[in-house]
Amino acid sequence: MKECTYYDLLGVPMDATEEEIVNAKNFLVKKLHPDANINSGYDTTTYIQNILYAYRILSNPDKRRVYDRRIRNPIRRKDPNERSCQSGPLSPNFAPYWEAANKLNELVATGSELLNARTGHNLVIRKLSNRKEPEAEHTEELAELAKQAEIHVKVLESSGIPRKYWYSHAMNWMLFQWSQNREFAYAMLCAMYDNYLDQRKSSIEKKKIQGQATVFLNTLDRMFACQQ
């Protein structure tokens, strides 16, 4: 497992500018502020402390140069003043949650195809018959998909990862980060993903990704509605 660096904590590359470091710190402090996470079940105090400590090192040119030399030429000796990326207990294995999200995304993709087919078919019916409420198509298939999806939803809910991160783009990104630094708890991974979108993606790319995630969740809800 590679060492978790202060750059990892802030979610910026080693060649990040001073402005990028400041923006990353401000974003994460706001995202992980205890007041913003009062209902999440996470104690984010330690996260904030680690982020601010990393920022103090990287925002000081002299300290940053010393730190950069150390991580480029690591010495197997623990600095008593060094902060760990760990914020509480180690995160449990992220892989089962990624697998659940992966299967859920596959089911939602199939559900989307059925819903689109049903919508297209109903438009034809309305044009031909002028019926306002055409008979539902593929309801049984969608209900069965929802039944399968419910299994994976329960797994993801048990992780405490908010549903807006269940879309494959977010889960794939967080799986990679977790595999590199298993000290990251899931609250930190979610905040780092948001920071990644904010700092590393253009406004158009960010809007596209978030739009796809919204469509994913809306489709999931429509699938569950077919069970009623």
Side-chain angles (χ1 to χ4, degrees), residues 104 107 139-154 220 223-228:
L104 183 63
L107 291 170
T139 300
E140 292 184 2
E141 295 97 321
L142 287 164
E144 177 58 30
L145 285 175
K147 183 178 179 181
Q148 297 176 43
E150 191 171 5
I151 298 172
H152 307 304
V153 166
K154 288 180 178 178
L220 180 62
M223 287 167 52
F224 281 128
C226 291
Q227 289 183 306
Q228 301 175 359

Side-chain angles (χ1 to χ4, degrees), residues 31-46:
K31 183 73 177 178
L32 291 169
H33 193 281
D35 290 346
N37 292 272
I38 193 169
N39 296 319
S40 69
Y42 293 112
D43 181 1
T44 58
T45 303
T46 305

